[in-house]
Amino acid sequence: MAGAGLGGAARLWLLCGGHGRPRAASSWPSCPGCGPPGPGAHCLGAPRSAPAQAPTGGADLSVHLWARYQDVRRLVHDLLPPEVCSLLNPAVIYANNEISLRDVEVYGFDYDYTLAQYADVLHPEIFSAARDILIEHYKYPGGIQKYDYNPSSAIRGLHYDIQKSLLIKIDAFHYVQLGTAYRGLQPVPDEEVIELYGGTQHIPLYQMSGFYGKGPSIKQFMDIFSLPEMALLSCVVDYFLGHSLEFDEAHLYKDVTDAIPDVHMKGMWHTVGPDWRQLFDVVIVQADKPSFFTDWRKPFRKLDEKGSLQWDRITRLEKGKIYRQGNLFDFLRLTEWRGPRVLYFGDHLYSDLVDLMLWHGWRTGAIISELEREIRIINTEQYMHWLTWQQALRGLLERMQTYQDAESRQVLAARMKERQELRCVTKAMFSAQFGSIFRTFHNPTYFLRCLVHFSDLYMASLSCLLNYRVDFTVYLRPTPLQHQAPLWMDQLCTSCMKMPFLGDMAHIR
């Protein structure tokens, strides 16, 4: 195996022993109008009567490239049907794995942010209560009293590097998305981020190991309740840095996380009425997830009407009763609810879902409340046009890089700058600091990677289930792999500065 076409690289390596033989670079097919040949399939959009060849260099080639750029831009703008906007429905159930609800016999639910949704005022209250605890009980400086909760200061799925006091967004390949690293309330320059991680953006696996988002020095914040926690961490670090106060990063992190009060509301009565216990076959409180799924030593305890613990041995789980703690192994033994006929919903991918899916074969559903807002943004005409143009622009860049003369390089540099500016604009539509919880500039986020791996279904809220029959099959919508025939703008032969099929599609409008 050799790196063909890498003659200008600093180092090359060769690994032999496979079948077949390398193909000469000159044997790759070329498309009329594309310029130099390159490794890839023959251009499907090559016209039946070949146009004049592109200029070979100089000012004429630069004019040619600019003209192709303008052609593609007009086509993308003119041929994007208005109906393409508002195609996504936030009330839909989305599948990572095909499920027939007909096969589901048992439905299970987490409570916070799954069954119960809380008002926006809750997060400022959590923030303020924890901030005051730091001042009164941990003797932190009274100056942090000036900070109030800012709902835009964090998004779900971020990582916190404890030793570096960095709040960062990481993609599915363990790379920090540049422009999304914050220490306190201040952005950290990209160059400093790369230097902090040994000259790379990559976070090694051992620092992020474990299914629960808790590596040796990095924690991932996975639930909605973590938003005020991240905001308070940022504010306290900002105060200490702003006043040049020396502090131990690990102590500060632990103090803040310990100060976040337990807000697991005892409010089921207010949510669904006084007879709420009759709606469920089994009710378990203070289960202490995720250890509930892995620690078999904690027994179930029954609570009486006043909430006091009872001492009798639990030999069955009764409807209308409330049980505390326990463990999944006793639960399975007492109920015999096993395998894929059980579908459990939760909002925390680690604490609620991962063990049930990987170790016990339950079906899992993730409640992602941010989905509704993100889909609303995606459905806007502005975002759809920007996204489509980004795809087309990427195809242009891929082919433009084959031209190496000075004028062509200037065209390429201008388009790369435009692409980066467009990325920043689309990122800011979701969050000025961190963008979408599902994507970095061009990769899925680490959060999305976990969502795909640990949930069969995901949706904005449990109410989405009301739109489906109990025997409905939720089908996976397969998307093209990189080596399959796609329908993206950047691969509809923008690589040869043409847009095949789009002309034929014009009648759709």
Side-chain angles (χ1 to χ4, degrees), residues 318-347:
E318 302 176 68
K319 184 172 184 176
K321 303 297 183 181
I322 301 177
Y323 301 90
R324 177 183 171 185
Q325 289 190 343
N327 63 84
L328 183 64
F329 303 96
D330 284 343
F331 179 85
L332 296 175
R333 176 176 56 83
L334 295 171
T335 64
E336 298 185 354
W337 294 344
R338 300 176 184 275
R341 65 193 183 102
V342 184
L343 173 56
Y344 185 82
F345 292 92
D347 69 295

PDB file of all heavy atoms in Angstrom, residues 318-347:
ATOM      1  N   GLU A 318     -45.555  -4.560  43.433  1.00  0.00           N
ATOM      2  CA  GLU A 318     -46.998  -4.414  43.315  1.00  0.00           C
ATOM      3  C   GLU A 318     -47.373  -3.073  42.681  1.00  0.00           C
ATOM      4  O   GLU A 318     -46.742  -2.049  42.939  1.00  0.00           O
ATOM      5  CB  GLU A 318     -47.642  -4.514  44.695  1.00  0.00           C
ATOM      6  CG  GLU A 318     -47.349  -5.796  45.432  1.00  0.00           C
ATOM      7  CD  GLU A 318     -47.946  -5.788  46.818  1.00  0.00           C
ATOM      8  OE1 GLU A 318     -49.197  -5.818  46.931  1.00  0.00           O
ATOM      9  OE2 GLU A 318     -47.182  -5.735  47.798  1.00  0.00           O
ATOM     10  N   LYS A 319     -48.436  -3.124  41.912  1.00  0.00           N
ATOM     11  CA  LYS A 319     -48.985  -1.907  41.331  1.00  0.00           C
ATOM     12  C   LYS A 319     -49.566  -1.035  42.433  1.00  0.00           C
ATOM     13  O   LYS A 319     -50.205  -1.521  43.363  1.00  0.00           O
ATOM     14  CB  LYS A 319     -50.061  -2.248  40.301  1.00  0.00           C
ATOM     15  CG  LYS A 319     -50.616  -1.038  39.569  1.00  0.00           C
ATOM     16  CD  LYS A 319     -51.541  -1.457  38.430  1.00  0.00           C
ATOM     17  CE  LYS A 319     -52.020  -0.247  37.641  1.00  0.00           C
ATOM     18  NZ  LYS A 319     -52.851  -0.633  36.482  1.00  0.00           N
ATOM     19  N   GLY A 320     -49.334   0.286  42.324  1.00  0.00           N
ATOM     20  CA  GLY A 320     -49.841   1.217  43.312  1.00  0.00           C
ATOM     21  C   GLY A 320     -48.901   1.475  44.468  1.00  0.00           C
ATOM     22  O   GLY A 320     -49.132   2.383  45.268  1.00  0.00           O
ATOM     23  N   LYS A 321     -47.826   0.694  44.574  1.00  0.00           N
ATOM     24  CA  LYS A 321     -46.843   0.867  45.633  1.00  0.00           C
ATOM     25  C   LYS A 321     -45.631   1.624  45.088  1.00  0.00           C
ATOM     26  O   LYS A 321     -45.383   1.663  43.875  1.00  0.00           O
ATOM     27  CB  LYS A 321     -46.397  -0.480  46.192  1.00  0.00           C
ATOM     28  CG  LYS A 321     -47.540  -1.347  46.717  1.00  0.00           C
ATOM     29  CD  LYS A 321     -48.250  -0.694  47.896  1.00  0.00           C
ATOM     30  CE  LYS A 321     -49.344  -1.597  48.446  1.00  0.00           C
ATOM     31  NZ  LYS A 321     -50.059  -0.968  49.588  1.00  0.00           N
ATOM     32  N   ILE A 322     -44.862   2.216  46.015  1.00  0.00           N
ATOM     33  CA  ILE A 322     -43.650   2.939  45.634  1.00  0.00           C
ATOM     34  C   ILE A 322     -42.458   2.243  46.276  1.00  0.00           C
ATOM     35  O   ILE A 322     -42.463   1.960  47.479  1.00  0.00           O
ATOM     36  CB  ILE A 322     -43.714   4.412  46.078  1.00  0.00           C
ATOM     37  CG1 ILE A 322     -44.922   5.110  45.460  1.00  0.00           C
ATOM     38  CG2 ILE A 322     -42.426   5.145  45.690  1.00  0.00           C
ATOM     39  CD1 ILE A 322     -45.088   6.548  45.903  1.00  0.00           C
ATOM     40  N   TYR A 323     -41.424   1.989  45.465  1.00  0.00           N
ATOM     41  CA  TYR A 323     -40.225   1.311  45.943  1.00  0.00           C
ATOM     42  C   TYR A 323     -39.016   2.225  45.760  1.00  0.00           C
ATOM     43  O   TYR A 323     -38.970   3.046  44.838  1.00  0.00           O
ATOM     44  CB  TYR A 323     -40.014  -0.002  45.178  1.00  0.00           C
ATOM     45  CG  TYR A 323     -41.161  -0.951  45.327  1.00  0.00           C
ATOM     46  CD1 TYR A 323     -42.229  -0.929  44.428  1.00  0.00           C
ATOM     47  CD2 TYR A 323     -41.212  -1.858  46.383  1.00  0.00           C
ATOM     48  CE1 TYR A 323     -43.302  -1.798  44.566  1.00  0.00           C
ATOM     49  CE2 TYR A 323     -42.277  -2.727  46.535  1.00  0.00           C
ATOM     50  CZ  TYR A 323     -43.325  -2.688  45.628  1.00  0.00           C
ATOM     51  OH  TYR A 323     -44.390  -3.531  45.784  1.00  0.00           O
ATOM     52  N   ARG A 324     -38.062   2.035  46.649  1.00  0.00           N
ATOM     53  CA  ARG A 324     -36.859   2.870  46.630  1.00  0.00           C
ATOM     54  C   ARG A 324     -35.634   2.004  46.349  1.00  0.00           C
ATOM     55  O   ARG A 324     -35.541   0.863  46.797  1.00  0.00           O
ATOM     56  CB  ARG A 324     -36.700   3.583  47.966  1.00  0.00           C
ATOM     57  CG  ARG A 324     -35.443   4.421  48.092  1.00  0.00           C
ATOM     58  CD  ARG A 324     -35.342   5.028  49.471  1.00  0.00           C
ATOM     59  NE  ARG A 324     -34.041   5.650  49.677  1.00  0.00           N
ATOM     60  CZ  ARG A 324     -33.641   6.172  50.822  1.00  0.00           C
ATOM     61  NH1 ARG A 324     -34.449   6.157  51.883  1.00  0.00           N
ATOM     62  NH2 ARG A 324     -32.441   6.713  50.934  1.00  0.00           N
ATOM     63  N   GLN A 325     -34.689   2.615  45.581  1.00  0.00           N
ATOM     64  CA  GLN A 325     -33.408   1.987  45.233  1.00  0.00           C
ATOM     65  C   GLN A 325     -33.619   0.642  44.537  1.00  0.00           C
ATOM     66  O   GLN A 325     -34.306   0.565  43.535  1.00  0.00           O
ATOM     67  CB  GLN A 325     -32.524   1.864  46.472  1.00  0.00           C
ATOM     68  CG  GLN A 325     -31.999   3.204  46.938  1.00  0.00           C
ATOM     69  CD  GLN A 325     -30.949   3.077  48.013  1.00  0.00           C
ATOM     70  OE1 GLN A 325     -30.785   2.052  48.658  1.00  0.00           O
ATOM     71  NE2 GLN A 325     -30.211   4.149  48.238  1.00  0.00           N
ATOM     72  N   GLY A 326     -33.037  -0.435  45.043  1.00  0.00           N
ATOM     73  CA  GLY A 326     -33.097  -1.710  44.354  1.00  0.00           C
ATOM     74  C   GLY A 326     -32.030  -1.814  43.283  1.00  0.00           C
ATOM     75  O   GLY A 326     -31.099  -1.006  43.199  1.00  0.00           O
ATOM     76  N   ASN A 327     -32.150  -2.834  42.427  1.00  0.00           N
ATOM     77  CA  ASN A 327     -31.189  -3.040  41.353  1.00  0.00           C
ATOM     78  C   ASN A 327     -31.878  -3.768  40.203  1.00  0.00           C
ATOM     79  O   ASN A 327     -32.927  -4.403  40.384  1.00  0.00           O
ATOM     80  CB  ASN A 327     -29.977  -3.823  41.842  1.00  0.00           C
ATOM     81  CG  ASN A 327     -30.339  -5.218  42.317  1.00  0.00           C
ATOM     82  OD1 ASN A 327     -30.445  -6.148  41.514  1.00  0.00           O
ATOM     83  ND2 ASN A 327     -30.564  -5.385  43.632  1.00  0.00           N
ATOM     84  N   LEU A 328     -31.296  -3.670  39.047  1.00  0.00           N
ATOM     85  CA  LEU A 328     -31.926  -4.222  37.851  1.00  0.00           C
ATOM     86  C   LEU A 328     -32.018  -5.742  37.900  1.00  0.00           C
ATOM     87  O   LEU A 328     -32.967  -6.329  37.370  1.00  0.00           O
ATOM     88  CB  LEU A 328     -31.161  -3.776  36.601  1.00  0.00           C
ATOM     89  CG  LEU A 328     -31.763  -4.224  35.267  1.00  0.00           C
ATOM     90  CD1 LEU A 328     -33.133  -3.608  35.061  1.00  0.00           C
ATOM     91  CD2 LEU A 328     -30.837  -3.886  34.106  1.00  0.00           C
ATOM     92  N   PHE A 329     -31.066  -6.398  38.540  1.00  0.00           N
ATOM     93  CA  PHE A 329     -31.048  -7.853  38.562  1.00  0.00           C
ATOM     94  C   PHE A 329     -32.244  -8.398  39.353  1.00  0.00           C
ATOM     95  O   PHE A 329     -32.905  -9.349  38.921  1.00  0.00           O
ATOM     96  CB  PHE A 329     -29.720  -8.335  39.147  1.00  0.00           C
ATOM     97  CG  PHE A 329     -28.534  -7.806  38.401  1.00  0.00           C
ATOM     98  CD1 PHE A 329     -27.876  -6.668  38.840  1.00  0.00           C
ATOM     99  CD2 PHE A 329     -28.095  -8.418  37.242  1.00  0.00           C
ATOM    100  CE1 PHE A 329     -26.794  -6.160  38.136  1.00  0.00           C
ATOM    101  CE2 PHE A 329     -27.014  -7.928  36.535  1.00  0.00           C
ATOM    102  CZ  PHE A 329     -26.360  -6.783  36.982  1.00  0.00           C
ATOM    103  N   ASP A 330     -32.534  -7.794  40.501  1.00  0.00           N
ATOM    104  CA  ASP A 330     -33.734  -8.184  41.243  1.00  0.00           C
ATOM    105  C   ASP A 330     -34.995  -7.797  40.476  1.00  0.00           C
ATOM    106  O   ASP A 330     -35.996  -8.516  40.499  1.00  0.00           O
ATOM    107  CB  ASP A 330     -33.748  -7.525  42.620  1.00  0.00           C
ATOM    108  CG  ASP A 330     -32.779  -8.191  43.588  1.00  0.00           C
ATOM    109  OD1 ASP A 330     -32.357  -9.322  43.309  1.00  0.00           O
ATOM    110  OD2 ASP A 330     -32.439  -7.564  44.609  1.00  0.00           O
ATOM    111  N   PHE A 331     -34.934  -6.656  39.793  1.00  0.00           N
ATOM    112  CA  PHE A 331     -36.084  -6.206  39.006  1.00  0.00           C
ATOM    113  C   PHE A 331     -36.416  -7.231  37.914  1.00  0.00           C
ATOM    114  O   PHE A 331     -37.584  -7.591  37.710  1.00  0.00           O
ATOM    115  CB  PHE A 331     -35.770  -4.848  38.387  1.00  0.00           C
ATOM    116  CG  PHE A 331     -36.865  -4.286  37.532  1.00  0.00           C
ATOM    117  CD1 PHE A 331     -37.901  -3.560  38.085  1.00  0.00           C
ATOM    118  CD2 PHE A 331     -36.863  -4.479  36.150  1.00  0.00           C
ATOM    119  CE1 PHE A 331     -38.920  -3.047  37.294  1.00  0.00           C
ATOM    120  CE2 PHE A 331     -37.872  -3.968  35.357  1.00  0.00           C
ATOM    121  CZ  PHE A 331     -38.903  -3.251  35.939  1.00  0.00           C
ATOM    122  N   LEU A 332     -35.403  -7.707  37.212  1.00  0.00           N
ATOM    123  CA  LEU A 332     -35.626  -8.701  36.158  1.00  0.00           C
ATOM    124  C   LEU A 332     -36.156 -10.008  36.739  1.00  0.00           C
ATOM    125  O   LEU A 332     -37.027 -10.665  36.158  1.00  0.00           O
ATOM    126  CB  LEU A 332     -34.331  -8.950  35.397  1.00  0.00           C
ATOM    127  CG  LEU A 332     -33.754  -7.764  34.606  1.00  0.00           C
ATOM    128  CD1 LEU A 332     -32.411  -8.130  33.999  1.00  0.00           C
ATOM    129  CD2 LEU A 332     -34.714  -7.293  33.525  1.00  0.00           C
ATOM    130  N   ARG A 333     -35.646 -10.388  37.885  1.00  0.00           N
ATOM    131  CA  ARG A 333     -36.089 -11.633  38.522  1.00  0.00           C
ATOM    132  C   ARG A 333     -37.545 -11.539  38.966  1.00  0.00           C
ATOM    133  O   ARG A 333     -38.322 -12.489  38.802  1.00  0.00           O
ATOM    134  CB  ARG A 333     -35.189 -11.930  39.721  1.00  0.00           C
ATOM    135  CG  ARG A 333     -35.601 -13.162  40.534  1.00  0.00           C
ATOM    136  CD  ARG A 333     -34.609 -13.436  41.642  1.00  0.00           C
ATOM    137  NE  ARG A 333     -34.434 -12.283  42.505  1.00  0.00           N
ATOM    138  CZ  ARG A 333     -35.257 -11.971  43.519  1.00  0.00           C
ATOM    139  NH1 ARG A 333     -36.321 -12.726  43.763  1.00  0.00           N
ATOM    140  NH2 ARG A 333     -35.015 -10.924  44.281  1.00  0.00           N
ATOM    141  N   LEU A 334     -37.950 -10.373  39.474  1.00  0.00           N
ATOM    142  CA  LEU A 334     -39.303 -10.220  40.002  1.00  0.00           C
ATOM    143  C   LEU A 334     -40.341  -9.979  38.914  1.00  0.00           C
ATOM    144  O   LEU A 334     -41.517 -10.325  39.078  1.00  0.00           O
ATOM    145  CB  LEU A 334     -39.336  -9.072  41.018  1.00  0.00           C
ATOM    146  CG  LEU A 334     -38.517  -9.290  42.300  1.00  0.00           C
ATOM    147  CD1 LEU A 334     -38.459  -8.006  43.123  1.00  0.00           C
ATOM    148  CD2 LEU A 334     -39.110 -10.430  43.127  1.00  0.00           C
ATOM    149  N   THR A 335     -39.949  -9.371  37.811  1.00  0.00           N
ATOM    150  CA  THR A 335     -40.921  -9.011  36.764  1.00  0.00           C
ATOM    151  C   THR A 335     -40.835  -9.901  35.532  1.00  0.00           C
ATOM    152  O   THR A 335     -41.814 -10.018  34.784  1.00  0.00           O
ATOM    153  CB  THR A 335     -40.722  -7.560  36.311  1.00  0.00           C
ATOM    154  OG1 THR A 335     -39.425  -7.435  35.698  1.00  0.00           O
ATOM    155  CG2 THR A 335     -40.828  -6.599  37.486  1.00  0.00           C
ATOM    156  N   GLU A 336     -39.644 -10.456  35.259  1.00  0.00           N
ATOM    157  CA  GLU A 336     -39.380 -11.225  34.040  1.00  0.00           C
ATOM    158  C   GLU A 336     -39.569 -10.382  32.776  1.00  0.00           C
ATOM    159  O   GLU A 336     -39.890 -10.893  31.710  1.00  0.00           O
ATOM    160  CB  GLU A 336     -40.240 -12.487  33.977  1.00  0.00           C
ATOM    161  CG  GLU A 336     -39.961 -13.463  35.114  1.00  0.00           C
ATOM    162  CD  GLU A 336     -40.730 -14.760  34.979  1.00  0.00           C
ATOM    163  OE1 GLU A 336     -41.575 -14.859  34.063  1.00  0.00           O
ATOM    164  OE2 GLU A 336     -40.496 -15.681  35.781  1.00  0.00           O
ATOM    165  N   TRP A 337     -39.369  -9.068  32.919  1.00  0.00           N
ATOM    166  CA  TRP A 337     -39.425  -8.183  31.762  1.00  0.00           C
ATOM    167  C   TRP A 337     -38.023  -8.125  31.157  1.00  0.00           C
ATOM    168  O   TRP A 337     -37.152  -7.421  31.666  1.00  0.00           O
ATOM    169  CB  TRP A 337     -39.884  -6.788  32.170  1.00  0.00           C
ATOM    170  CG  TRP A 337     -41.299  -6.756  32.670  1.00  0.00           C
ATOM    171  CD1 TRP A 337     -42.248  -7.706  32.518  1.00  0.00           C
ATOM    172  CD2 TRP A 337     -41.906  -5.701  33.425  1.00  0.00           C
ATOM    173  NE1 TRP A 337     -43.423  -7.331  33.099  1.00  0.00           N
ATOM    174  CE2 TRP A 337     -43.258  -6.086  33.672  1.00  0.00           C
ATOM    175  CE3 TRP A 337     -41.482  -4.470  33.895  1.00  0.00           C
ATOM    176  CZ2 TRP A 337     -44.142  -5.296  34.380  1.00  0.00           C
ATOM    177  CZ3 TRP A 337     -42.370  -3.670  34.601  1.00  0.00           C
ATOM    178  CH2 TRP A 337     -43.688  -4.092  34.833  1.00  0.00           C
ATOM    179  N   ARG A 338     -37.820  -8.829  30.095  1.00  0.00           N
ATOM    180  CA  ARG A 338     -36.484  -8.969  29.546  1.00  0.00           C
ATOM    181  C   ARG A 338     -36.453  -8.716  28.042  1.00  0.00           C
ATOM    182  O   ARG A 338     -37.448  -8.866  27.360  1.00  0.00           O
ATOM    183  CB  ARG A 338     -35.941 -10.389  29.803  1.00  0.00           C
ATOM    184  CG  ARG A 338     -35.856 -10.767  31.272  1.00  0.00           C
ATOM    185  CD  ARG A 338     -35.418 -12.212  31.438  1.00  0.00           C
ATOM    186  NE  ARG A 338     -35.420 -12.607  32.848  1.00  0.00           N
ATOM    187  CZ  ARG A 338     -34.417 -12.403  33.682  1.00  0.00           C
ATOM    188  NH1 ARG A 338     -33.327 -11.823  33.241  1.00  0.00           N
ATOM    189  NH2 ARG A 338     -34.511 -12.775  34.948  1.00  0.00           N
ATOM    190  N   GLY A 339     -35.256  -8.341  27.569  1.00  0.00           N
ATOM    191  CA  GLY A 339     -34.968  -8.287  26.149  1.00  0.00           C
ATOM    192  C   GLY A 339     -35.719  -7.227  25.370  1.00  0.00           C
ATOM    193  O   GLY A 339     -36.243  -6.257  25.929  1.00  0.00           O
ATOM    194  N   PRO A 340     -35.834  -7.414  24.061  1.00  0.00           N
ATOM    195  CA  PRO A 340     -36.349  -6.374  23.172  1.00  0.00           C
ATOM    196  C   PRO A 340     -37.842  -6.110  23.284  1.00  0.00           C
ATOM    197  O   PRO A 340     -38.340  -5.198  22.616  1.00  0.00           O
ATOM    198  CB  PRO A 340     -35.992  -6.902  21.775  1.00  0.00           C
ATOM    199  CG  PRO A 340     -35.862  -8.374  21.946  1.00  0.00           C
ATOM    200  CD  PRO A 340     -35.322  -8.584  23.316  1.00  0.00           C
ATOM    201  N   ARG A 341     -38.549  -6.853  24.109  1.00  0.00           N
ATOM    202  CA  ARG A 341     -39.971  -6.514  24.290  1.00  0.00           C
ATOM    203  C   ARG A 341     -40.153  -5.378  25.285  1.00  0.00           C
ATOM    204  O   ARG A 341     -41.273  -4.934  25.524  1.00  0.00           O
ATOM    205  CB  ARG A 341     -40.757  -7.742  24.737  1.00  0.00           C
ATOM    206  CG  ARG A 341     -40.401  -8.308  26.089  1.00  0.00           C
ATOM    207  CD  ARG A 341     -41.013  -9.683  26.303  1.00  0.00           C
ATOM    208  NE  ARG A 341     -40.748 -10.229  27.626  1.00  0.00           N
ATOM    209  CZ  ARG A 341     -41.626 -10.235  28.619  1.00  0.00           C
ATOM    210  NH1 ARG A 341     -42.826  -9.728  28.425  1.00  0.00           N
ATOM    211  NH2 ARG A 341     -41.316 -10.752  29.793  1.00  0.00           N
ATOM    212  N   VAL A 342     -39.037  -4.890  25.863  1.00  0.00           N
ATOM    213  CA  VAL A 342     -39.072  -3.746  26.774  1.00  0.00           C
ATOM    214  C   VAL A 342     -38.487  -2.537  26.058  1.00  0.00           C
ATOM    215  O   VAL A 342     -37.409  -2.621  25.462  1.00  0.00           O
ATOM    216  CB  VAL A 342     -38.280  -4.021  28.063  1.00  0.00           C
ATOM    217  CG1 VAL A 342     -38.414  -2.840  29.028  1.00  0.00           C
ATOM    218  CG2 VAL A 342     -38.758  -5.309  28.718  1.00  0.00           C
ATOM    219  N   LEU A 343     -39.189  -1.420  26.103  1.00  0.00           N
ATOM    220  CA  LEU A 343     -38.711  -0.157  25.533  1.00  0.00           C
ATOM    221  C   LEU A 343     -38.653   0.877  26.649  1.00  0.00           C
ATOM    222  O   LEU A 343     -39.673   1.207  27.244  1.00  0.00           O
ATOM    223  CB  LEU A 343     -39.642   0.309  24.410  1.00  0.00           C
ATOM    224  CG  LEU A 343     -39.388   1.700  23.801  1.00  0.00           C
ATOM    225  CD1 LEU A 343     -37.962   1.817  23.279  1.00  0.00           C
ATOM    226  CD2 LEU A 343     -40.395   1.985  22.696  1.00  0.00           C
ATOM    227  N   TYR A 344     -37.435   1.374  26.933  1.00  0.00           N
ATOM    228  CA  TYR A 344     -37.239   2.306  28.042  1.00  0.00           C
ATOM    229  C   TYR A 344     -36.805   3.661  27.507  1.00  0.00           C
ATOM    230  O   TYR A 344     -35.917   3.753  26.652  1.00  0.00           O
ATOM    231  CB  TYR A 344     -36.182   1.768  29.005  1.00  0.00           C
ATOM    232  CG  TYR A 344     -36.008   2.625  30.244  1.00  0.00           C
ATOM    233  CD1 TYR A 344     -36.866   2.496  31.329  1.00  0.00           C
ATOM    234  CD2 TYR A 344     -34.998   3.574  30.315  1.00  0.00           C
ATOM    235  CE1 TYR A 344     -36.719   3.285  32.465  1.00  0.00           C
ATOM    236  CE2 TYR A 344     -34.837   4.368  31.433  1.00  0.00           C
ATOM    237  CZ  TYR A 344     -35.701   4.219  32.508  1.00  0.00           C
ATOM    238  OH  TYR A 344     -35.561   5.005  33.615  1.00  0.00           O
ATOM    239  N   PHE A 345     -37.419   4.716  28.037  1.00  0.00           N
ATOM    240  CA  PHE A 345     -37.137   6.084  27.599  1.00  0.00           C
ATOM    241  C   PHE A 345     -36.401   6.854  28.687  1.00  0.00           C
ATOM    242  O   PHE A 345     -36.737   6.749  29.870  1.00  0.00           O
ATOM    243  CB  PHE A 345     -38.439   6.818  27.273  1.00  0.00           C
ATOM    244  CG  PHE A 345     -39.152   6.296  26.068  1.00  0.00           C
ATOM    245  CD1 PHE A 345     -40.118   5.308  26.191  1.00  0.00           C
ATOM    246  CD2 PHE A 345     -38.863   6.784  24.802  1.00  0.00           C
ATOM    247  CE1 PHE A 345     -40.785   4.820  25.086  1.00  0.00           C
ATOM    248  CE2 PHE A 345     -39.519   6.294  23.686  1.00  0.00           C
ATOM    249  CZ  PHE A 345     -40.487   5.311  23.830  1.00  0.00           C
ATOM    250  N   GLY A 346     -35.424   7.644  28.269  1.00  0.00           N
ATOM    251  CA  GLY A 346     -34.708   8.520  29.188  1.00  0.00           C
ATOM    252  C   GLY A 346     -34.045   9.641  28.429  1.00  0.00           C
ATOM    253  O   GLY A 346     -33.898   9.592  27.205  1.00  0.00           O
ATOM    254  N   ASP A 347     -33.615  10.668  29.161  1.00  0.00           N
ATOM    255  CA  ASP A 347     -32.963  11.814  28.522  1.00  0.00           C
ATOM    256  C   ASP A 347     -31.447  11.765  28.651  1.00  0.00           C
ATOM    257  O   ASP A 347     -30.745  12.493  27.953  1.00  0.00           O
ATOM    258  CB  ASP A 347     -33.481  13.126  29.116  1.00  0.00           C
ATOM    259  CG  ASP A 347     -33.016  13.319  30.555  1.00  0.00           C
ATOM    260  OD1 ASP A 347     -33.438  12.521  31.412  1.00  0.00           O
ATOM    261  OD2 ASP A 347     -32.252  14.257  30.817  1.00  0.00           O
TER     262      ASP A 347
END
